[in-house]
Amino acid sequence: MHRRDFLLVSLALTVAMSPAASEPVGMPEGGAQTMNWEQFVSAMRSLVRHAGKGQASAQTLGEAGLQLMQRLDVDGPEFTSALEQSWESGNSFWLWQRLLRERGLLGGVLNIEQGNDVPLHDHPGATGMLRILSGEAEVWQYDVVSDGDAEAGAVLRRVSHHILRPGDTAVLYPELGNIHALRALSAECRMLDCFVPPYARAMRSWYEPEAVDWRVRERIQCRRIPEQEFYA
């Protein structure tokens, strides 16, 4: 962990573990103190404030945020209660359980059933962090090589391809690996997602590969589809 990330996480934990917050919920393997949901949200808000003041780059914010996500006690009663009170929405690809949405921060649990792959899409301007809660997911991440003309669409270059299991984390940045696709490898896959800042969904784009075997290619030609047209 980089020194700057360590300092940011330490500062966030100081805020979250203050006497005004709930008591810590234990010590996981390796000696890192776990956090309940209230403490986690408080710590993430602290990171967001520092990012807003220009005190943390997107990369620093993402790496520090992942450290906090790994400390969250997802089996504790606080997180379970937050899920029970979540606002649910969905489509043919996923079920989204929104846990919080506020200035600078969006968080929730994404549920994907096997056979319901999430197509290539982006989250413009956002640093996104995820932690697998249950099941397994295959994740592809891409950068735009060139936009081409309106007919050609976009050429994408693969920057990451992983299979994630419970406890694994991943991050996307505004300028690195922001375009991604997901596939559930188990009957159901559940993952905690946090975005800083919350992306404007209306600005999201979807990417339709020309090649059927695009998942095994390092470069792919895609048609870019705006959010409004994708669901039309």
Side-chain angles (χ1 to χ4, degrees), residues 43-58:
M44 288 296 293
R45 285 170 177 162
S46 179
L47 292 183
V48 169
R49 285 194 296 272
H50 281 78
K53 295 176 182 178
Q55 297 174 329
S57 65

Side-chain angles (χ1 to χ4, degrees), residues 37-222:
W37 175 246
E38 179 183 347
Q39 293 166 340
F40 171 76
V41 173
S42 177
M44 288 296 293
R45 285 170 177 162
S46 179
L47 292 183
V48 169
R49 285 194 296 272
H50 281 78
K53 295 176 182 178
Q55 297 174 329
S57 65
Q59 182 174 356
T60 296
L61 177 67
E63 293 179 3
L66 288 183
Q67 292 290 327
L68 295 177
M69 293 183 82
Q70 289 171 332
R71 296 188 180 192
L72 173 63
D73 179 17
V74 297
D75 297 317
E78 294 85 359
F79 186 68
T80 299
S81 177
L83 279 176
E84 291 174 349
Q85 300 175 52
S86 65
W87 182 80
E88 295 186 358
S89 63
N91 51 40
S92 59
F93 306 114
W94 65 70
L95 170 69
W96 171 250
Q97 296 174 274
R98 190 177 73 192
L99 297 173
L100 71 156
R101 183 180 181 88
E102 56 193 46
R103 184 183 180 90
L105 180 62
L106 170 68
V109 173
L110 185 68
N111 302 265
I112 310 172
E113 294 183 354
Q114 196 168 35
N116 290 354
D117 295 6
V118 178
L120 284 164
H121 65 287
D122 59 18
H123 297 292
T127 296
M129 297 150 273
L130 72 83
R131 172 184 168 183
I132 301 295
L133 302 179
S134 63
E136 297 184 0
E138 191 169 9
V139 182
W140 296 262
Q141 292 181 259
Y142 296 82
D143 287 342
V144 174
V145 176
S146 65
D147 286 325
D149 54 35
E151 183 178 350
V155 177
L156 307 183
R157 176 179 63 88
R158 189 178 69 206
V159 296
S160 177
H161 174 215
H162 294 291
I163 293 177
L164 303 179
R165 299 177 175 84
D168 289 345
T169 60
V171 61
L172 59 84
Y173 299 103
E175 306 298 333
L176 178 64
N178 196 278
I179 301 171
H180 58 289
L182 305 100
R183 166 186 284 178
L185 299 180
S186 50
E188 182 183 54
C189 182
R190 301 171 63 247
M191 61 192 74
L192 175 65
D193 285 351
C194 288
F195 297 95
V196 182
Y199 64 95
R201 191 172 68 176
M203 300 300 293
R204 181 169 61 186
S205 294
W206 299 77
Y207 298 81
E208 184 179 79
E210 291 183 357
V212 175
D213 63 345
W214 64 269
R215 292 181 180 85
V216 299
R217 298 191 179 197
E218 292 191 4
R219 290 194 178 216
I220 53 176
Q221 177 80 45
C222 296

